[in-house]
Amino acid sequence: MPTPSDKAVRQWFITGASGGLGRHLTEHALRRGDRVTATVRRPSALEDLRKTYGDRLTVEILDLTRPADVDEVVGRTLQSGPVDIVVNNAGYAVVGAAEEMTVEQIRDQIEVLLLAPMLITRAFLKPMREQGGGRIIQISSVGGQIGTPTHSSYHAGKWGLEGFTESVSHEVADFNIHLTLVEPGATRTGFASALHYTTETAAYRDNAVGRTRRFLEAADDSVFTGDPAKLAAAIYDTTNHPNPPLRLPLGSDTYEAIHTTLTRRLTALETQKDLAASVVFTH
């Protein structure tokens, strides 16, 4: 069994670790000698890693739509010792027009993408503050900075996570707690095959919603350029930086999309400068 190196062994807490980026990050941290508590929905998902790394990997079953379960798992994890790095990774996307989405689909998106990371982050802030610091990694998305048709609830969750994280980063900076928003682009994690779809309506079949839906329905991982193993290594490296970035865009597609969106937004803002100033009191 691989053994830790001479460096200090750190404790990770990673959600959504059964596959995709979460599994790659779990395996990378273990391979580098750290310990990981990984949450999954299927108990057998990480059995191979548990056989390889033994008691350096703890697997917890967690349904992020159940806040009471979040409290129980986090509490049990903290009882076994301090946690140095938290990764809120679990997520999925519902595809379809906003009008087509059910209340349940919208609620589940917000609970998994926003509410659960908020609750997990809050649960670890006090122990990290008391132990003198820590790292919280929020797996956001290029979709946390841009908006595309068919992903309105997904964007709501990711944009909300970005705002929450930026605010909290200012609140805890004095306590040596660093938060980083990771913004991957299209990555070969099987994400497309796990998409949830609304019941399609005729009104949206032939517009931007329908075209995007057709593309995603036909897509497989081969069209995605992001390497999840390289993403995991890049994320791991940031945890060794004394002053990690608040935002970490990963993927050339992410960089180009965000750059284009922010440029357009700034251009539009500049055209509104005089109007913005026109509504203030003048004395």
Side-chain angles (χ1 to χ4, degrees):
M1 182 182 72
T3 57
S5 64
D6 292 336
K7 72 177 181 61
V9 176
R10 300 178 300 175
Q11 177 68 46
W12 295 62
F13 180 90
I14 302 174
T15 69
S18 60
L21 181 58
R23 181 188 170 93
H24 279 278
L25 193 52
T26 297
E27 191 165 7
H28 191 88
L30 290 168
R31 193 164 56 245
R32 296 293 293 270
D34 288 341
R35 302 175 64 89
V36 178
T37 295
T39 78
V40 298
R41 299 192 68 169
R42 292 180 292 105
S44 62
L46 299 180
E47 190 59 34
D48 59 327
L49 295 185
R50 189 151 46 182
K51 289 178 180 178
T52 301
Y53 294 100
D55 62 5
R56 284 203 288 117
L57 173 63
T58 300
V59 178
E60 290 276 6
I61 307 303
L62 178 60
D63 182 349
L64 291 175
T65 65
R66 299 169 60 91
D69 291 358
V70 172
D71 289 343
E72 182 179 339
V73 170
V74 171
R76 189 160 52 242
T77 300
L78 289 170
Q79 285 176 0
S80 64
V83 172
D84 305 291
I85 304 160
V86 172
V87 183
N88 283 306
N89 166 74
Y92 72 100
V94 174
V95 175
E99 186 181 341
E100 297 169 343
M101 293 182 185
T102 66
V103 172
E104 290 75 18
Q105 286 174 324
I106 294 170
R107 181 180 291 116
D108 283 352
Q109 282 277 264
I110 300 303
E111 285 181 344
V112 171
L113 300 179
L114 180 57
L115 181 59
M118 289 176 69
L119 295 178
I120 291 171
T121 298
R122 290 179 66 251
F124 282 103
L125 289 179
K126 181 179 179 181
M128 283 186 172
R129 177 166 51 79
E130 292 177 341
Q131 73 195 30
R135 304 294 176 96
I136 299 176
I137 310 293
Q138 314 281 37
I139 305 301
S140 180
S141 164
V142 63
Q145 289 284 321
I146 69 171
T148 59
T150 73
H151 279 58
S152 57
S153 291
Y154 180 82
H155 290 310
K158 293 300 188 182
W159 282 53
L161 180 63
E162 296 243 349
F164 168 78
T165 301
E166 184 164 343
S167 177
V168 174
S169 71
H170 297 304
E171 296 175 358
V172 300
D174 292 342
F175 307 124
N176 194 34
I177 301 173
H178 298 280
L179 288 85
T180 295
L181 286 153
V182 178
E183 298 165 339
T187 307
R188 295 183 189 178
T189 59
F191 188 79
S193 63
L195 292 171
H196 297 216
Y197 289 86
T198 62
T199 299
E200 189 173 26
T201 56
Y204 291 97
R205 189 165 294 135
D206 298 321
N207 74 346
V209 172
R211 291 191 294 273
T212 303
R213 187 183 186 116
R214 298 288 92 74
F215 169 79
L216 292 172
E217 287 174 336
D220 58 45
D221 267 13
S222 65
V223 303
F224 299 152
T225 59
D227 182 337
K230 291 180 179 178
L231 263 72
I235 294 166
Y236 184 93
D237 287 347
T238 67
T239 66
N240 293 318
H241 295 172
N243 293 297
L246 173 62
R247 287 181 169 84
L248 186 68
L250 293 176
S252 55
D253 57 338
T254 292
Y255 176 85
E256 294 298 335
I258 294 177
H259 189 279
T260 298
T261 296
L262 294 180
T263 300
R264 288 175 179 168
R265 196 176 299 165
L266 182 59
T267 299
L269 177 65
E270 289 172 344
T271 68
Q272 297 168 325
K273 180 178 179 180
D274 292 341
L275 177 61
S278 71
V279 301
V280 302
F281 282 108
T282 57
H283 298 287

